[in-house]
């Protein structure tokens, strides 16, 4: 008799189903809807939906405004290749920026509906800092990092109105949108497989304006994947 549950089979049926969805997405770079994935894999639509929500939340699947899913940026990061990952490219740039501004600098990536801090650079200072932990999750539609990350990609129907203005200016400054008393300065990083941005957080209002050219310079230094081909 074929084992019917995870403990008896020594594996995870949920994991296997999730991987099956990823394999199917890899066969269709143009994307598939939940119903199409359900039909292709033979999973009930509710099961496919739950798995896709988790894959999207963790970055293993991407979803466009029409509801079509494609392979997400987390898969690209696992595969590696001749082009360095965004995090690898951004880390030394962020450390230089943090030292120059004496403020916390970070890389923010859009993962599902959250702005996730994936790289953090703290300055060598004993003064008061807004500390951001790697893995911190903030709303995408509030705060400099999330808004700039949204602006790094093409326009979307449901995005906040000010995102287009950020695309045009190349940066955004916010105050107390995520953390009370914090000034955020962020610049989009277009062209990468994930929507992302450089983000600087400070309690000094004067630094917010002075930081803009430095943040833009750092974003230009990170550039796009094509700038880092081996």
């Amino acid at each position: 008799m074929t084992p019917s549950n995870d403990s008896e089979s020594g594996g995870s049926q949920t994991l296997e189903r999730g991987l099956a969805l990823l394999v199917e997405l890899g066969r269709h770079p143009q994307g598939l809807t939940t119903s199409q994935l359900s039909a292709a894999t033979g999973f009930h639509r509710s099961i496919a939906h739950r798995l896709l929500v988790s894959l999207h939340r963790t970055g293993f699947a991407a979803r466009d405004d029409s509801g079509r899913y494609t392979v997400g940026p987390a898969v690209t990061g696992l595969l590696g290749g001749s082009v360095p990952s965004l995090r690898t490219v951004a880390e030394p740039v962020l450390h230089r920026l943090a030292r120059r501004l004496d403020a916390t600098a970070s890389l923010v990536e859009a993962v599902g509906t959250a702005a996730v801090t994936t790289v953090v650079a703290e300055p060598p200072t004993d003064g008061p800092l807004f500390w951001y932990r790697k893995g911190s999750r903030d709303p995408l539609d509030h705060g400099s990092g999330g808004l700039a990350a949204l602006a790094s990609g093409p326009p979307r129907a449901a995005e906040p109105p000010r995102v287009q203005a950020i695309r045009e200016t190349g940066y955004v400054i916010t105050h107390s949108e995520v953390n009370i008393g914090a000034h955020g300065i962020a610049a989009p990083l277009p062209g990468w497989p994930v929507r992302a941005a450089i983000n600087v957080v400070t309690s000094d209002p004067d630094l917010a304006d002075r930081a803009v050219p430095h943040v833009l310079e750092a974003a230009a230094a990170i550039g796009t994947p094509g700038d880092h081909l081996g």
Side-chain angles (χ1 to χ4, degrees):
M1 180 176 180
T2 302
S4 59
N5 59 52
D6 293 354
S7 60
E8 291 177 347
S9 64
S12 169
Q13 185 183 58
T14 301
L15 176 59
E16 291 170 2
R17 285 173 168 174
L19 291 173
L21 287 178
L22 277 179
V23 169
E24 200 62 39
L25 288 176
R27 294 173 179 156
H28 298 85
Q30 78 279 7
L32 294 171
T33 65
T34 302
S35 295
Q36 290 171 330
L37 279 164
S38 174
T41 57
F43 303 151
H44 191 278
R45 192 181 188 284
S46 64
I47 293 174
H49 171 73
R50 288 197 300 270
L51 291 169
L52 286 166
V53 168
S54 293
L55 291 171
H56 183 221
R57 185 183 299 135
T58 54
F60 285 90
R63 184 180 185 276
D64 65 19
D65 292 334
S66 68
R68 300 181 75 85
Y69 289 89
T70 56
V71 171
V75 176
T76 306
L78 287 174
L79 294 176
S82 60
V83 180
S85 71
L86 172 57
R87 298 176 192 180
T88 299
V89 172
E91 186 165 10
V93 177
L94 291 172
H95 281 288
R96 290 195 297 269
L97 183 63
R99 290 194 299 269
R100 182 176 299 172
L101 296 178
D102 195 27
T104 301
S106 62
L107 177 68
V108 174
E109 300 179 24
V111 179
T113 59
V116 180
T117 300
T118 55
V119 178
V120 176
E122 299 287 3
T125 182
D126 295 326
L129 291 173
F130 275 98
W131 181 72
Y132 256 68
R133 178 178 59 84
K134 182 178 178 181
S136 295
R137 301 172 72 90
D138 295 315
L140 267 175
D141 57 354
H142 287 83
S144 54
L147 291 167
L150 286 175
S152 70
R156 306 175 76 170
E159 70 185 18
R162 55 181 169 165
V163 172
Q164 181 56 38
I166 299 169
R167 286 193 187 94
E168 295 170 358
T169 60
Y171 70 93
V172 60
I173 299 176
T174 62
H175 178 239
S176 295
E177 289 197 12
V178 175
N179 296 296
I180 300 299
H183 298 267
I185 311 95
L189 297 172
W192 293 89
V194 62
R195 290 178 184 245
I198 286 181
N199 192 38
V200 170
V201 182
T202 178
S203 59
D204 182 355
D206 294 329
L207 178 61
D209 289 324
R210 289 189 287 109
V212 169
H214 300 290
V215 171
L216 291 174
E217 180 183 345
I222 293 174
T224 65
D227 299 325
H228 304 281
L229 290 171

